[in-house]
Each structure stands twice: as structure tokens, then as C-alpha cells.
Amino acid sequence: MSAAPLTIPLITNDATVLGLLSLILGFVFYSSNSEHPFWQKFYKYVPALLMCYLLPSLLNTFGIVSAEVSKIDDVAKYYLLPACLVLLTLSIDIKAIGALGNKAIIMFFTGTIGVVIGGPIALLTTAAIWPELLGVTGPDAVWRGMAALAGSWIGGGANMLAMKEIYGADGKIFTIMVTVDIVIANLWMACLLYFAANHQRIDAKSGADTSGINKLIDRVEAFERDHARCPELKDFIFILTIAFGAAGFAHLAADFLVPYFQMNFPELKKFSLHSKLFWIIVLVTTVGLILSFTKVRRLEAVGASKVGSSFLYILVATIGLHMDVTQIVEAPKYIVIGLIWMAVHVALLFIVGRMIRAPIFYLAVGSKANIGGAASAPVIASAFHPSLAPVGVLLAVLGYALGTYMAWICGQLLRIIGS
């Protein structure tokens, strides 16, 4: 696939980019905690976390910074995200997670089914306006590109590339679908961040049963209260030691595991076992859960999850750099396909969620474990509460495992309709 030439942004120095993102985060936190009536009214309707996501997108939209040129995104994904996950899982209560019940799994599978059936529905609906979308059998067929997009929306980037090869999508249609993925998935991400900031009001209105989630959060907060003390410099050093020490261990182990599985178990690529990020996410989460049974858990009392959350906000800002609102008008019919597809996914989640009285948290994490995978599902989970991050990771891993199979089924349905 021939890559399109990159547009050089105004700022290419990553140290400056990080400084800009830090200034944005500082502005949002300062203004959101201001006593000024304007800011109090503004943040009543616009969540602070959503602003941490949207403001960086303006840097990308206006060509000031480019996520494709900058390496800040890789730093956040491969260094800060693993460190963040360790710190957010230190105080987790495994028994309490088990007590959450099966609603999270139900919502995850509902999200998967929504993607599988949403693609064919979107193609049929859009073809009523643009009939030329159907009847194409070559590598530039829209349905082939949509099959690749299905891989991204049930698992992640590795699954997307796998579906591209399986269904033979050419570079042009694949690139278009990558654009659709970025635009639609990021718009939905913004919606989920809004839900997270207003989840109590949404759940109260829908009558959802949040008792299991509340018990988990209460147990974590009770532990923090019972052991809270004024943090010292050594405490922050210990927190960073655990965070980056675990991240370093995960990288080291992944450097051995990835080539081992590539060489000895090539067929397991479909489960993302050839992905370094997959192993890093799984390993740091495992380390965090193991440490939650030890005295290291006491670091939560001196702010371990708060340090982790600060890493999380940097990650949210870097994710925002991928959003370019002008892309919406560049390929309208394909964006329409993506919007209808996502609408089916979301509608099904809301219908099933209402039927089983699932809290909005399960809808958000069940969706993002499909659409975003391990890099963003814990971000959404943590937006509700830091102690809920492992739920997002566990569901995202499930998405990795099912992604290839369910995307293949979606591709077959698209082939029947589109060719």
C-alpha cells in the first residue's frame, strides 16, 4: 500500500508538543476548578475530561501538531499506559470484580453483534443513495474495505490488517476505511467521555442497577481512607518505581514472547499473540493484580491511583491528537456508512442495556472493548472511576480473542451484499 505524503505540521518537536498538551491539561484543570460563574456554568454542560480530549484535536485539525509525525502517541501508549494500568490496579478487589455479575459480558457481546450486523445494514442503507457501492467485485470493492474496518472495530489494528489480507482490500479503499475508523471511533469516544462524566444522572434516569459497581468503588475508597497519610518524597519515588519497573518488565517479557510465538505458533496471530502491545497490557495488568495482594497495595493510600490518573489524562490528550474534524467532509458517503454502522452498534447496546438494567458503565466499556481495544477501553473505564480500569482491560483482551472470527463473519455478510 503506497502511503500518502505526510503534511508537515507547524510544530514537530515532541518536547514542545508535550509542553502544549501539558498546558492544555493545566488550563482545563484550572478552569474546571475555578469559582468564576462562566467556568462553573461551562463545565456544568461540558465535562473536563471531554475538553482534555477535544482541545488537542484542534491542534491536529489546524495543522499545528500531527499525531502521524509526533511520537508522543507512542510514548503515551507504550510507556505511560502500562505504568498507569499498574497504579490503577494496585488497590483492586478481585472478589468485588467477580461480584459485578455477567452484565458486563452481555454488553460486550451485544457490542460485538452490533458491529457484525451493523456493517451489512449500513452498506444496504447507504447503497439506496449511492447504488455504485454495490456490484463491485475487484480489490477496490467497498465491502472489502468494510471487512477490514470490522476487524478494527472488533479487536483492533492487528485484526484490521488481518481482514485486509483475508479479503484482499486494495490500498485506496483501505486508507479510506482507516479515515472512517479514526473519525467515527473518535466521535464515539467523545460521547463516551460525556457519558462517564454524567453517569450517575444517566443511571438514575434509566433505573439501572449500579449496586455491584458502587460496592467495588466503596471498597477501594474505604481502603484508601483507612490507610491514608500525607505522602512523602519517598512515597512518590516508590510509586514511580512500581509503575515504570512493571512497565519495563512487561516490555522485556514482550520482547521475548512476541518472537517466540511468531516462530513457534504462527497460527496464534489471530489471537493477537504476535502483538507487543497486547502482551504489555496483559502483563502489567497481571502484575498490578498480583501486587494488590501484597503490602505494595498500601501505596494507594499515598496517591498511587492519582499518579496513574495523571498519566491517563496525558494519554487522553494524545488520543485527541488523532482527531481531525475536517476529514468528515472529505469522504461523505463513507463517513455516512460509518455513522450508520456505529448507530446500529450503539442502538443495540442501549436496547439490551435497558432490558437488563445495565449501568451506562457496562455499555461504555463493552462498546470500547470492541471499538477501541486495550489501548482505550481502560481509559473509558477509568473515566468512571480509577478502580474500574481492570474491567476494561479484561473485556478488551476478550475482544482481541474474538476479533478475527467475528470480523470474518461480518466480512462474509458484506461480501454477499456488496458483490
Side-chain angles (χ1 to χ4, degrees):
M1 181 181 73
S2 59
L6 292 177
T7 302
I8 303 301
L10 181 64
I11 297 174
T12 58
N13 187 314
D14 281 341
T16 306
V17 175
L18 180 60
L20 284 174
L21 294 181
S22 299
L23 286 171
I24 288 173
L25 294 176
F27 166 75
V28 172
F29 271 78
Y30 177 81
S31 57
S32 63
N33 289 279
S34 172
E35 298 295 329
H36 195 283
F38 170 79
W39 291 119
Q40 289 187 340
K41 188 173 183 179
F42 179 82
Y43 285 105
K44 181 180 179 181
Y45 300 101
V46 182
L49 184 59
L50 182 58
M51 289 295 292
C52 294
Y53 173 78
L54 290 180
L55 288 180
S57 74
L58 299 179
L59 298 179
N60 187 40
T61 300
F62 293 106
I64 301 172
V65 175
S66 171
E68 295 182 0
V69 174
S70 173
K71 300 298 181 185
I72 290 294
D73 181 59
D74 288 338
V75 172
K77 185 185 297 182
Y78 286 96
Y79 298 103
L80 297 185
L81 175 60
C84 166
L85 289 176
V86 173
L87 297 179
L88 293 181
T89 52
L90 277 178
S91 60
I92 201 63
D93 192 316
I94 299 296
K95 290 183 179 179
I97 286 184
L100 289 178
N102 56 9
K103 290 183 180 180
I105 299 295
I106 292 173
M107 295 305 291
F108 168 80
F109 280 112
T110 300
T112 303
I113 295 170
V115 173
V116 172
I117 67 173
I121 291 173
L123 182 56
L124 281 172
T125 305
T126 314
I129 305 172
W130 294 288
E132 66 272 16
L133 294 175
L134 302 181
V136 182
T137 57
D140 59 338
V142 174
W143 71 265
R144 297 183 191 272
M146 292 179 67
L149 181 55
S152 176
W153 283 2
I154 318 174
N159 300 79
M160 186 177 196
L161 291 173
M163 290 301 106
K164 174 187 181 297
E165 298 302 323
I166 289 174
Y167 287 105
D170 74 357
K172 182 179 180 181
I173 191 63
F174 181 75
T175 302
I176 289 173
M177 289 304 163
V178 169
T179 301
V180 173
D181 184 14
I182 293 172
V183 172
I184 302 302
N186 279 281
L187 287 174
W188 179 229
M189 177 84 162
C191 294
L192 292 177
L193 291 174
Y194 178 83
F195 292 158
N198 297 275
H199 65 95
Q200 292 180 336
R201 179 171 57 83
I202 295 172
D203 287 333
K205 188 174 181 180
S206 66
D209 180 12
T210 61
S211 56
I213 297 174
N214 292 335
K215 287 179 182 178
L216 172 58
I217 295 174
D218 289 343
R219 291 178 69 159
V220 172
E221 291 180 342
F223 179 87
E224 183 178 356
R225 279 195 309 272
D226 294 342
H227 298 83
R229 59 182 175 82
C230 185
E232 302 175 16
L233 175 61
K234 66 177 181 179
D235 295 316
F236 290 112
I237 296 296
F238 291 154
I239 288 172
L240 295 179
T241 298
I242 294 298
F244 291 108
F249 162 75
H251 274 267
L252 178 64
D255 286 339
F256 285 98
L257 289 168
V258 170
Y260 173 78
F261 277 90
Q262 287 175 338
M263 183 177 298
N264 297 286
F265 303 98
E267 69 280 3
L268 294 182
K269 181 179 181 180
K270 58 191 175 185
F271 293 110
S272 295
L273 296 185
H274 294 184
S275 166
K276 184 175 181 179
L277 183 60
F278 168 82
W279 282 110
I280 290 172
I281 296 296
V282 170
L283 288 168
V284 294
T285 304
T286 304
V287 170
L289 292 175
I290 292 173
L291 292 177
S292 71
F293 291 98
T294 71
K295 293 181 179 180
V296 177
R297 186 184 184 190
R298 296 176 183 173
L299 288 175
E300 173 58 23
V302 289
S305 65
K306 292 181 176 63
V307 176
S309 295
S310 66
F311 295 158
L312 178 72
Y313 275 91
I314 297 175
L315 179 63
V316 169
T318 61
I319 293 175
L321 285 178
H322 287 274
M323 183 63 180
D324 182 352
V325 295
T326 62
Q327 291 178 331
I328 297 175
V329 299
E330 292 181 1
K333 59 185 175 184
Y334 301 108
I335 296 298
V336 171
I337 288 176
L339 287 172
I340 295 173
W341 196 342
M342 184 63 73
V344 174
H345 166 79
V346 174
L348 192 60
L349 282 168
F350 271 103
I351 291 170
V352 174
R354 187 64 181 267
M355 290 172 59
I356 64 175
R357 296 179 63 211
I360 195 69
F361 167 73
Y362 291 138
L363 182 150
V365 177
S367 173
K368 209 59 189 170
N370 282 287
I371 303 298
S376 53
V379 173
I380 290 298
S382 300
F384 285 83
H385 194 277
S387 63
L388 299 175
V391 180
V393 175
L394 294 174
L395 289 179
V397 171
L398 184 59
Y400 274 136
L402 292 177
T404 300
Y405 297 105
M406 301 306 291
W408 181 83
I409 293 173
C410 182
Q412 290 298 315
L413 294 175
L414 289 166
R415 180 183 61 79
I416 294 170
I417 294 169
S419 58

